[in-house]
Amino acid sequence: MESLTSRMQGVQSPIIPVVGELIKNSPGTISLGQGVVYYNPPPEAIEFLAKFLAESANNLYKSVEGIPPLLTALVGKLQAFNGIEINRENCIVVTAGSNMGFMNAILAITNPGDEIILNTPYYFNHEMAIAIAGCRAVLVATDENYQLRPEAIAQAITPKTRAVVTISPNNPTGVVYSEVALHQVNQICGDRGIYHISDEAYEYFTYNGVKHVSPGAFANSSKYTISLFSLSKAYGFASWRIGYMVIPKHLFFAVKKVQDTILICPPVISQYAALGALQAKEEYLKSNINAIAQVRQVVLDLLNRLQALCSITPANGAFYFFLKVNTQMDAFELVKRLIQEHKVAVIPGTTFGIDDGCYLRVAYGALQKETAKEGIKRLVQGLETIVRS
């Protein structure tokens, strides 16, 4: 059995546990690695757990696509915040996080050997899901500011292409794609008869007056746009595992087959918590995201000390900065030394499909201001010491 091989041998290992093990072996390390928020779900989410417990039948399986009250609440949220109308051409499926939504989508729209276009740097779990499905990720580089290049995307489409994936606000760069570029990509997908998969997990995290844009709201896009959303970030719901997808109606039965096989139904207790979270006061999101915006400014001010050593692209979304370090050092080797010698952890750019230089993703959402300040100070000092040595 030791010689057994499987499709998983061709799939990259998740980087977060690898870095986590390094952190565990260097006590006192401040992590600027994992993309989570520091705050907890709103009290309304916890209050709704009583409603779950009050109904004895809630220990049974529920609808594959989600409980009706949550689906109804999501219809309202999508209309009010995203401008997406749920109509005869589309529908909502609640998932166990938006990563599952992406896997559902890939399995529903592809056959082995098909191609999915990813813009680099990509989100590593997207590339992994494509590989697991037996498909091929076709990589299209973004421009020097990590913005989309619609013409390059169009040129990368082949008869085997099934979808183009965009992430805005972006993980790992923090960049928000322009409405013009998203519209161009969406139109290309419609014209070429392929899907546009729009990952919007960071939809609420925009700064400096930048507004989030949902391609699913564009006119006549419902039949080919797959929109992915998550409560993990904005509502502090990482471990509750609730996301949702808006899909063309013609994909509904295929997605249900996938989800019923893998999951049966999203955790019902978490769905009740999500229903409560969506009823939280507007101040909950506003105050927490404002706090992260303040941390962002602290991080940016401190990182500016590195301009001689790094290129720091402006980013008005999510809670990441993506640094290009002016060194020939291997990115993962640099990450290991930062942890072991300077007690600060970041993620190497190779994980996101960038191997033509030394890149690091810096995440600041999980930390309050003083801890973030200390972590960035360690990062700055560490890079100055290691790179200049």
Side-chain angles (χ1 to χ4, degrees):
M1 292 300 289
E2 288 182 3
S3 63
L4 180 68
T5 60
S6 81
R7 69 182 69 202
M8 299 311 295
Q9 287 190 309
V11 179
Q12 68 166 302
S13 296
I15 191 65
I16 299 298
V18 174
V19 173
E21 191 65 26
L22 291 170
I23 292 170
K24 189 168 72 174
N25 293 330
S26 294
T29 296
I30 294 176
S31 177
L32 301 167
Q34 195 160 23
V36 293
V37 296
Y38 71 88
Y39 55 87
N40 293 322
E44 291 87 348
I46 309 306
E47 290 164 8
F48 263 64
L49 299 182
K51 296 180 182 291
F52 167 83
L53 294 169
E55 175 54 64
S56 60
N58 277 337
N59 65 309
L60 303 175
Y61 296 131
K62 298 298 179 183
S63 298
V64 174
E65 66 269 28
I67 59 174
L70 180 54
L71 294 171
T72 299
L74 291 172
V75 169
K77 177 268 175 183
L78 288 162
Q79 178 72 64
F81 185 79
N82 305 94
I84 296 176
E85 180 185 356
I86 301 302
N87 51 42
R88 288 178 297 179
E89 293 182 344
N90 61 11
C91 60
I92 304 168
V93 176
V94 179
T95 58
S98 61
N99 271 6
M100 182 169 195
F102 187 82
M103 191 81 244
N104 285 352
I106 295 301
L107 291 173
I109 67 175
T110 65
N111 289 308
D114 284 344
E115 297 172 352
I116 304 292
I117 293 176
L118 298 181
N119 296 281
T120 57
Y122 55 63
Y123 171 47
F124 53 85
N125 280 138
H126 286 174
E127 190 271 341
M128 293 166 68
I130 292 164
I132 289 170
C135 297
R136 187 170 81 91
V138 174
L139 308 184
V140 175
T142 49
D143 70 15
E144 64 276 8
N145 292 314
Y146 303 122
Q147 289 287 341
L148 296 170
R149 297 164 57 231
E151 291 107 359
I153 292 170
Q155 290 173 2
I157 295 172
T158 75
K160 287 183 171 289
T161 305
R162 294 295 170 262
V164 176
V165 180
T166 60
I167 311 169
S168 183
N170 188 258
N171 178 8
T173 66
V175 163
V176 180
Y177 296 149
S178 72
E179 182 172 0
V180 170
L182 285 170
H183 202 285
Q184 287 177 313
V185 171
N186 194 261
Q187 190 65 53
I188 289 167
C189 292
D191 292 344
R192 302 290 283 272
I194 61 178
Y195 294 97
H196 180 182
I197 302 176
S198 174
D199 186 328
E200 303 175 39
Y202 300 89
E203 58 184 326
Y204 291 103
F205 296 90
T206 58
Y207 316 102
N208 298 324
V210 173
K211 300 295 184 184
H212 175 67
V213 175
S214 292
F218 296 152
N220 305 313
S221 69
S222 296
K223 290 183 179 179
Y224 59 87
T225 304
I226 299 170
S227 304
L228 306 179
F229 303 95
S230 173
L231 273 72
S232 293
K233 313 303 180 184
Y235 289 98
F237 248 61
S239 71
W240 292 86
R241 307 313 304 137
I242 291 292
Y244 53 102
M245 54 197 309
V246 179
I247 59 175
K249 198 65 172 281
H250 64 260
L251 291 178
F252 182 59
F253 289 110
V255 167
K256 279 186 71 173
K257 286 180 185 179
V258 177
Q259 183 142 301
D260 185 69
T261 301
I262 297 173
L263 184 68
I264 298 183
C265 66
V268 179
I269 189 168
S270 295
Q271 292 190 68
Y272 269 80
L275 183 58
L278 292 172
Q279 298 183 37
K281 296 178 178 63
E282 186 178 334
E283 182 60 25
Y284 169 80
L285 286 178
K286 187 176 179 181
S287 63
N288 283 315
I289 291 171
N290 281 345
I292 286 183
Q294 292 175 29
V295 173
R296 173 186 176 274
Q297 193 57 53
V298 168
V299 170
L300 192 55
D301 291 343
L302 290 168
L303 286 177
N304 281 333
R305 276 181 48 189
L306 291 171
Q307 287 188 352
L309 293 178
C310 299
S311 299
I312 305 166
T313 299
N316 286 311
F319 31 76
Y320 305 112
F321 288 110
F322 202 61
L323 311 184
K324 180 180 182 180
V325 185
N326 300 326
T327 178
Q328 298 301 311
M329 186 179 299
D330 173 76
F332 186 65
E333 182 61 29
L334 178 56
V335 167
K336 286 198 292 185
R337 288 192 61 183
L338 285 167
I339 294 171
Q340 293 165 354
E341 299 170 20
H342 297 275
K343 304 288 188 183
V344 62
V346 290
I347 302 297
T350 46
T351 300
F352 306 99
I354 303 293
D355 54 11
D356 61 345
C358 185
Y359 293 79
L360 304 174
R361 189 190 76 174
V362 178
Y364 55 86
L367 305 175
Q368 300 204 37
K369 189 183 296 184
E370 290 308 311
T371 310
K373 183 184 292 186
E374 175 60 25
I376 296 296
K377 284 180 177 177
R378 293 183 189 183
L379 176 64
V380 170
Q381 183 178 12
L383 289 175
E384 288 176 336
T385 302
I386 295 169
V387 175
R388 285 181 173 154
S389 63

